[in-house]
Amino acid sequence: MYKEMVQRKKFPAVILLFITLITFICLSDLLPKVTIGSINIKIFVTMFFNMLMVALCYMEFSKCKVKYKYLIVADQFIIHKIRGEEVTIREDIKLKDIEFIGKNCDYSSDADIISSKKYICSTSIGSKFCCVYKVENKFKKFYFEPSDGLMKKIKLLKEKSLFQWLTI
């Protein structure tokens, strides 16, 4: 059995929100006091930026509450989504059904993917890995953020099961 958990780091989210807030303040200050009749446009723009900032804060902090747990149990690869106390199983795949697992940039195939999902917490694109697996003669794909240890374990177990299949 092998398990690991990934979650979004709060510090980059706070920095992103701070930069966005500064940008909104600068944009708001650039607007002169333009009025149309008795309506001051700057007040409406400032209110719009405030509502947008509140919405962005809500979205970012709700994303920070999501965690993903990657498990390898026997010959199964399982992904759990954890949000607060709620735990749901997102994927439950037999290792023998995995067609490709590795960096997203290394994947190239003409296979027709019927569904694609993301189990990622970070904002950086560089740490994306993908897994393509077969379900009832159709291919599914998901993106995730494994550690090097998890990738080594999956590849080792896949090779071991392939070797056992060849010796039978």
Side-chain angles (χ1 to χ4, degrees):
M1 182 171 150
Y2 183 91
K3 71 177 177 177
E4 67 181 48
M5 191 168 318
V6 294
Q7 70 183 55
R8 189 177 190 120
K9 292 178 176 52
K10 291 170 183 61
F11 185 70
V14 170
I15 295 298
L16 177 72
L17 289 172
F18 184 70
I19 290 170
T20 306
L21 179 64
I22 290 172
T23 305
F24 285 166
I25 290 171
C26 291
L27 287 173
S28 178
D29 287 346
L30 288 176
L31 290 173
K33 290 188 177 183
V34 178
T35 57
I36 299 175
S38 63
I39 301 170
N40 188 350
I41 299 296
K42 185 174 181 173
I43 291 173
F44 283 108
V45 170
T46 304
M47 285 175 39
F48 172 74
F49 284 155
N50 288 343
M51 288 189 301
L52 192 59
M53 196 63 204
V54 168
L56 286 172
C57 286
Y58 176 76
M59 286 174 24
E60 280 300 314
F61 287 121
S62 66
K63 286 179 185 177
C64 287
K65 291 180 182 179
V66 175
K67 302 175 192 171
Y68 290 102
K69 182 170 29 172
Y70 307 134
L71 291 163
I72 298 175
V73 179
D75 68 335
Q76 300 278 113
F77 180 38
I78 305 167
I79 298 178
H80 292 257
K81 180 179 182 179
I82 303 168
R83 184 180 192 99
E85 298 296 318
E86 180 186 344
V87 178
T88 56
I89 295 177
R90 292 301 195 188
E91 299 290 342
D92 188 354
I93 306 162
K94 291 198 176 292
L95 292 176
K96 66 179 175 121
D97 294 335
I98 295 175
E99 296 291 320
F100 173 82
I101 190 161
K103 286 213 177 261
N104 187 38
C105 60
D106 295 338
Y107 178 68
S108 63
S109 175
D110 295 335
D112 191 25
I113 308 289
I114 60 168
S115 89
S116 181
K117 299 178 182 175
K118 294 180 183 172
Y119 306 118
I120 294 178
C121 292
S122 73
T123 55
S124 66
I125 297 169
S127 62
K128 265 193 196 179
F129 282 74
C130 74
C131 177
V132 178
Y133 61 100
K134 201 178 234 183
V135 176
E136 300 172 1
N137 293 327
K138 296 180 181 178
F139 292 100
K140 291 187 175 186
K141 179 179 185 179
F142 64 85
Y143 300 95
F144 68 120
E145 305 173 275
S147 67
D148 289 338
L150 179 65
M151 288 302 292
K152 287 176 186 173
K153 185 76 169 176
I154 290 173
K155 288 180 180 179
L156 178 75
L157 289 171
K158 268 192 70 65
E159 289 171 7
K160 185 177 178 183
S161 67
L162 180 65
F163 179 73
Q164 288 175 348
W165 184 78
L166 291 174
T167 57
I168 292 176

